Amino acid sequence: MATRILLFKTQIEHCYPCAPITNHTFKAEVTFCVRGVVSPLLANVFLHYVLDLWVQQWRRRRARGRVVIVRYADDFVMGFEKTDDARRMMAALTERLAKFGLAIHDEKTRLIEFGRLPALARRQRGLRRPETFAFLGFTHYCGWTRDGRFIVKLKTQSKRLTRKLKALRQEAWRLMHVPLAVQHRWYTSVLLGHYGYYGRPQNFPALIAFRQEVLRIWLTCLRRRSQKTRRMSWQTFAALLTSFPLPTPRITHPWTVRAA
């Protein structure tokens, strides 16, 4: 079983316009911050006590099966061997967070059946595979290798991809009239950055699709750049790419071999 709790809000509010002078008191109050630069740091400091240490204690005292937690900043996933442990953790976590003025996001928190045994049981009954969950920009889902071994597969989260493409279109429109060499450097950096994060073995089809969308965005902007390029075809655009080639998809995070 796995539960997922996302997004709490933090912000630093201080009473000095600049750094405090030595030997003077300084008051910092955490009140409200959404997607700020300091937000991940605050989450790590705050949740280390509120969540990490508490989960370890709860696991030793209350759990009847294995309990694992994976957290990055204020985003985390928990896995349970026993269904009862998952349900009791959900109730205990709600109470724990309330003590610190936090709450579970009802729309982004789910208790789902996930893993090798649930996937195997569903396959034997002729049912669809277990539900998926999103974590750190990836959709995690149950799958099987060619030789029949269970594996947790990853693919780019669709909502995250949609937001990114929307932002890319806006920036591409802004850069429409800059020299082609400048546009090429920007599109190259976009693709390399995307491959650097999403370049997972099971995610290669999504990398290909993302590059195709980037090509489509660039061609659309070139067509609207001037009257001369208004009717630019894909063939003409392909010829342009020979002078300004864009990086092809590649796996940047290959499989790691565990030591025997």
Side-chain angles (χ1 to χ4, degrees), residues 13-171:
E13 194 177 77
H14 56 78
C15 54
Y16 292 97
C18 58
I21 304 176
T22 306
N23 297 327
H24 282 55
T25 59
F26 177 73
K27 178 183 178 182
E29 180 181 357
V30 178
T31 57
F32 187 84
C33 175
V34 179
R35 302 186 185 279
V37 176
V38 76
S39 181
L41 177 61
L42 288 174
N44 281 328
V45 174
F46 195 62
L47 289 181
H48 177 67
Y49 169 74
V50 175
L51 182 66
D52 298 344
L53 299 180
W54 175 79
V55 168
Q56 293 180 16
Q57 185 183 73
W58 189 93
R59 178 170 47 196
R60 291 193 303 267
R61 297 181 178 180
R62 305 289 181 83
R64 298 174 182 174
R66 293 183 59 193
V67 178
V68 296
I69 178 172
V70 179
R71 180 177 69 83
Y72 181 83
D74 56 353
D75 194 357
F76 64 93
V77 172
M78 300 184 70
F80 301 86
E81 183 181 5
K82 304 293 185 182
T83 305
D84 291 342
D85 285 343
R87 299 187 186 281
R88 287 187 290 111
M89 168 57 78
M90 182 75 78
L93 184 59
T94 301
E95 182 179 348
R96 172 70 174 178
L97 295 179
K99 293 180 180 180
F100 298 90
L102 303 174
I104 293 177
H105 198 302
D106 293 333
E107 295 181 0
K108 298 182 178 180
T109 304
R110 290 183 299 147
L111 182 63
I112 66 172
E113 191 178 49
F114 192 88
R116 182 178 64 87
L117 295 180
L120 182 60
R122 283 174 168 265
R123 189 169 69 168
Q124 291 175 346
R125 297 197 303 266
L127 302 177
R128 298 182 61 184
R129 62 191 177 199
E131 291 184 63
T132 64
F133 68 92
F135 184 56
L136 301 182
F138 288 96
T139 296
H140 296 64
Y141 61 99
C142 297
W144 304 90
T145 61
R146 293 181 180 179
D147 57 357
R149 292 180 292 111
F150 172 80
I151 187 175
V152 177
K153 294 187 175 183
L154 309 177
K155 62 181 179 181
T156 307
Q157 185 181 356
S158 59
K159 291 183 179 180
R160 184 76 62 90
L161 180 61
T162 300
R163 291 198 301 266
K164 185 171 185 177
L165 288 175
K166 181 179 179 180
L168 285 179
R169 291 187 183 95
Q170 294 174 350
E171 184 64 13

Side-chain angles (χ1 to χ4, degrees), residues 165 168-169 172 187 191 208-224 232 234 237 241 246:
L165 288 175
L168 285 179
R169 291 187 183 95
Y187 283 109
L191 288 172
I208 297 175
F210 179 78
R211 184 179 186 274
Q212 188 63 28
E213 286 298 322
V214 171
L215 291 176
R216 185 175 288 107
I217 291 173
W218 196 6
L219 176 58
T220 300
C221 289
L222 290 176
R223 285 172 173 172
R224 299 182 181 182
M232 179 181 287
W234 277 100
F237 182 54
L241 291 178
L246 293 179

